[in-house]
Amino acid sequence: MFRLCLATLLLMLCTLPALCAAPGEAAPPWWKHAIFYEIYPRSFQDSTGNGVGDLNGILARLDYLEDLGIDAIWLTPCFPSPQVDFGYDVSDYRAIDPGFGILADFDRLVAEARRRGIRVILDLVLNHTSDQHPWFRESRASRGSARRDWYVWRDGKGPGRPPCNWLSLFGGPAWTLDPATGQYYYHYFYREQPDLNWRNPAVREEMLDVTRWWYRRGVAGFRLDAVDTVFEDPRLPDNPLEPGLNPCGDPNMINLHNYKQPEVHGLMRELRKVADQSGAVLIGETYVESAAELKAYYGEGGNELQLPTGHLLAMADRLSAPEFRRRIAAMAAIGCWPVWVLNNHDLARSVTRFGDGVHDDAIAKDLAALLLTLRGTPILYYGEELGMANHDPKRLEDVRDPVGRRGWPTGKLRDGARTPMQWDATPGAGFTRGKPWLPIPAGAATRNVAVQAREPDSVLSFYRRLLALRRSSPALLDGGYRELNPEDPHVLAYLREGQGQAVLVALNLSPEPRAVAFDLPALGWAGARPQVLLGSGGRTPMAGLPAELEPFSVVIVALGRSRPADPTGRGGKPLE
Ligand code: GLC
């Protein structure tokens, strides 16, 4: 292991100058090379002992994040909120929820993060507010209210009949009757989350102004929540139904008229214009069926979102080389800068989805290597670097997330992916002195930062080495992606090439050892002297290409600094 680290260090030293842009060449925007890290503030670090995380807790852990090599933290909503949807029901966009701290804490967090080279990204909930937001209270006060048109109000089709058949993602009709005014309001999510009417220019102006307000406070960008649901067809046509019931027990429905409406692109462009004035980044929560669909969110000439998250890797239904290869190739084919995500606060943790219960740590390292060696910007989710798995509630009465209660026991369970960060082996896992808002698994006694930081072969140590390697390697940061051995059913392999360098990555995604062979001359690297930069298998040799990969292992190999021949005639330019 020591020898591997030494090789990594040597490569880092000899490639560092290449990180700087050549004279006359524009430096890439900061978010292209950045490692983003999603923090669920309720679960990262509690500084008060009330069992819920807060901003001062995050502040106390900035050194850890800096040390890990994180460039930007995305905080899920920490604005004032009744917490029905744990912050995704905002009741004031220009303040901090008292449970998380005060604005001065936030300002200090931004300043202290900046001192460590870490940017802060906030989560902007566009689609809806809380029903406790003063805008909605005013809106619902009367039909004639000045803010009535800030939300989507409609008459029903008759007694007990909502304006159309649309359903809430979180169960039941998407329309709730307001008895006082006799009209229904629309909510794609919980009834406590009324949809804003984005066709009202006043709403647009106000929300653009909210972004300016935070940019002035030093925020480096936003993750835009639920982008796909912002607009709906104002004519309210019924959606088509499909056979069967969804996990909430409602009929299956195709959200043809209230999802992914074309108007959303105009809004993305407006938000982007404002973001550009501050050099800020926009990350989009954009779930798609295909990479081709994702392309639209980048906009014409890249004038919409810099980082729309298609969740293409996360949506793979199993750990499979052909499946991942296909998804990566689809992304490469659209010619846009990819964003890679394996985990977030809405998904079961990747170790739970892709693990086999036997080789989970090896699989966590495979996934880490994939996320951090692909071409594109990665977003990590807290605890991913420890190989944390889901810790799902076993009894209905323990479920905190309302949608989890509604769909119990077969529906979507989000609590299990939101449990506290595991810092050490104390009863509160170093997260809290009190009773944690979600339970900490018994395994936290060994799977935690303190323990893993001491173990050279831990998932955390592997992440650290990978992150350092990525930062130091121009080929990994900017190089093109070239698929290798496309027919191999078990080993996912690719080259990252650029600036006369190449890094070969080979991941065995199967539980058996697998033979591998790479034809370097055919790849244009005839004279290369391969040097292993990092490997997760215990027996990875230092020099040369491996002939066999251990079960669920990865090897990352530098081929050399310059290509001896250039059979493509492209002068060694990155492959798109
Ligand atoms: C997004 C968030 C999710 C939330 C929903 C409604 O999908 O990621 O956590 O429940 O929006 O705001």
Side-chain angles (χ1 to χ4, degrees):
M1 193 48 66
F2 172 67
R3 287 190 307 153
L4 284 188
C5 297
L6 196 65
T8 310
L9 190 70
L10 282 176
L11 182 103
M12 282 162 62
L13 289 176
C14 60
T15 57
L16 267 177
L19 263 181
C20 311
E25 211 177 89
W30 66 269
W31 45 263
K32 265 199 164 178
H33 290 176
I35 305 287
F36 287 77
Y37 185 97
E38 178 189 353
I39 292 180
Y40 199 66
R42 297 180 68 86
S43 296
F44 198 59
Q45 180 65 56
D46 168 20
S47 73
T48 65
N50 71 351
V52 180
D54 47 54
L55 296 187
N56 284 335
I58 299 171
L59 183 82
R61 295 297 185 179
L62 284 177
D63 288 342
Y64 166 78
L65 296 169
E66 181 188 13
D67 198 39
L68 187 59
I70 300 305
D71 301 296
I73 50 178
W74 146 30
L75 310 182
T76 62
C78 48
F79 315 104
S81 161
Q83 305 287 330
V84 171
D85 193 14
F86 301 114
Y88 283 95
D89 45 327
V90 178
S91 54
D92 181 355
Y93 286 88
R94 288 184 170 91
I96 295 295
D97 189 279
F100 292 136
I102 55 173
L103 256 179
D105 298 330
F106 180 79
D107 291 341
R108 201 166 57 245
L109 177 64
V110 170
E112 284 297 317
R114 183 183 293 143
R115 237 167 39 80
R116 293 164 175 83
I118 299 174
R119 292 172 159 93
V120 177
I121 308 291
L122 288 183
D123 201 320
L124 188 64
V125 186
L126 296 166
N127 180 66
H128 49 268
T129 68
S130 160
D131 63 349
Q132 298 308 309
H133 196 296
W135 301 339
F136 187 70
R137 286 166 175 257
E138 196 182 330
S139 180
R140 86 185 306 170
S142 77
R143 288 192 183 209
S145 151
R147 288 201 206 267
R148 187 66 169 179
D149 198 31
W150 277 48
Y151 293 84
V152 183
W153 290 99
R154 289 290 194 286
D155 293 330
K157 281 181 170 166
R161 294 181 61 214
C164 69
N165 73 348
W166 300 350
L167 293 170
S168 158
L169 180 72
F170 290 157
W175 296 97
T176 291
L177 179 66
D178 175 53
T181 58
Q183 281 193 309
Y184 287 82
Y185 67 87
Y186 174 64
H187 51 91
Y188 187 87
F189 298 97
Y190 296 122
R191 65 173 58 205
E192 295 87 349
Q193 295 171 303
D195 271 47
L196 281 162
N197 173 18
W198 278 91
R199 294 177 193 278
N200 181 342
V203 169
R204 289 170 100 102
E205 213 20 76
E206 176 64 29
M207 290 299 257
L208 290 174
D209 218 52
V210 163
T211 69
R212 287 187 199 102
W213 194 84
W214 287 106
Y215 292 143
R216 285 198 294 275
R217 288 204 108 83
V219 162
F222 287 94
R223 177 262 192 184
L224 304 179
D225 181 60
V227 166
D228 300 319
T229 66
V230 169
F231 282 90
E232 44 285 331
D233 185 334
R235 296 168 302 137
L236 313 183
D238 278 349
N239 279 329
L241 294 173
E242 287 197 314
L245 298 181
N246 67 24
C248 289
D250 295 318
N252 281 322
M253 174 171 281
I254 304 173
N255 290 332
L256 196 60
H257 303 294
N258 55 342
Y259 195 63
K260 296 186 177 164
Q261 301 298 297
E263 292 88 337
V264 75
H265 295 290
L267 174 61
M268 295 300 109
R269 288 193 289 275
E270 285 177 43
L271 286 159
R272 176 62 184 278
K273 262 194 206 140
V274 177
D276 279 349
Q277 288 158 9
S278 301
V281 71
L282 296 178
I283 302 173
E285 188 199 14
T286 44
Y287 281 92
V288 291
E289 300 293 323
S290 68
E293 190 189 335
L294 191 64
K295 190 170 181 178
Y297 287 107
Y298 289 88
E300 297 261 332
N303 63 357
E304 295 187 26
L305 303 173
Q306 295 103 321
L307 300 177
T309 50
H311 304 97
L312 289 174
L313 284 184
M315 291 295 125
D317 59 356
R318 65 199 137 79
L319 193 69
S320 138
E323 184 61 22
F324 282 142
R325 191 181 291 127
R326 194 177 61 71
R327 288 165 182 265
I328 298 161
M331 198 55 224
I334 66 169
C336 301
W337 183 255
V339 192
W340 300 114
V341 176
L342 285 167
N343 288 283
N344 68 32
H345 63 283
D346 293 326
L347 301 172
R349 286 192 178 263
S350 54
V351 167
T352 301
R353 273 177 287 128
F354 296 121
D356 64 356
V358 179
H359 304 91
D360 285 355
D361 276 4
I363 291 170
K365 291 177 190 173
D366 260 349
L367 294 172
L370 181 65
L371 192 73
L372 297 173
T373 63
L374 282 176
R375 179 172 190 270
T377 299
I379 306 180
L380 306 181
Y381 180 53
Y382 79 95
E384 184 172 338
E385 72 274 28
L386 304 175
M388 272 172 67
N390 258 45
H391 182 49
D392 291 318
K394 306 282 175 299
R395 305 175 313 176
L396 172 59
E397 54 269 40
D398 295 332
V399 179
R400 300 291 307 269
D401 188 19
V403 70
R405 286 203 295 274
R406 180 160 189 136
W408 182 264
T410 51
K412 195 169 176 58
L413 273 182
R414 303 189 293 185
D415 288 1
R418 299 172 173 181
T419 57
M421 178 68 175
Q422 297 166 191
W423 296 104
D424 61 35
T426 58
F431 162 72
T432 184
R433 305 186 299 275
K435 184 177 181 312
W437 79 285
L438 282 176
I440 292 168
T446 50
R447 187 176 298 281
N448 62 58
V449 172
V451 166
Q452 291 204 11
R454 287 194 301 267
E455 289 174 357
D457 285 333
S458 67
V459 179
L460 178 61
S461 298
F462 189 72
Y463 263 94
R464 283 188 198 283
R465 285 196 293 275
L466 254 176
L467 285 161
L469 172 63
R470 178 189 164 91
R471 188 180 293 281
S472 66
S473 164
L476 288 181
L477 288 173
D478 288 314
Y481 167 86
R482 180 151 41 147
E483 179 179 290
L484 301 179
N485 301 354
E487 303 306 326
D488 194 314
H490 306 293
V491 176
L492 176 67
Y494 46 90
L495 266 191
R496 299 291 318 283
E497 291 179 290
Q499 302 184 23
Q501 306 190 2
V503 172
L504 185 150
V505 181
L507 299 134
N508 179 1
L509 300 183
S510 79
E512 276 88 41
R514 298 289 172 192
V516 279
F518 301 100
D519 186 349
L520 290 189
L523 294 170
W525 288 92
R529 293 221 308 273
Q531 274 293 323
V532 174
L533 299 172
L534 190 57
S536 66
R539 298 190 307 276
T540 313
M542 279 301 299
L545 286 174
E548 188 179 88
L549 292 177
E550 292 167 43
F552 296 114
S553 74
V554 53
V555 62
I556 303 174
V557 187
L559 294 189
R561 281 186 58 79
S562 56
R563 301 173 75 138
D566 180 20
T568 64
R570 285 176 298 97
K573 290 252 162 52
L575 298 163
E576 284 304 321

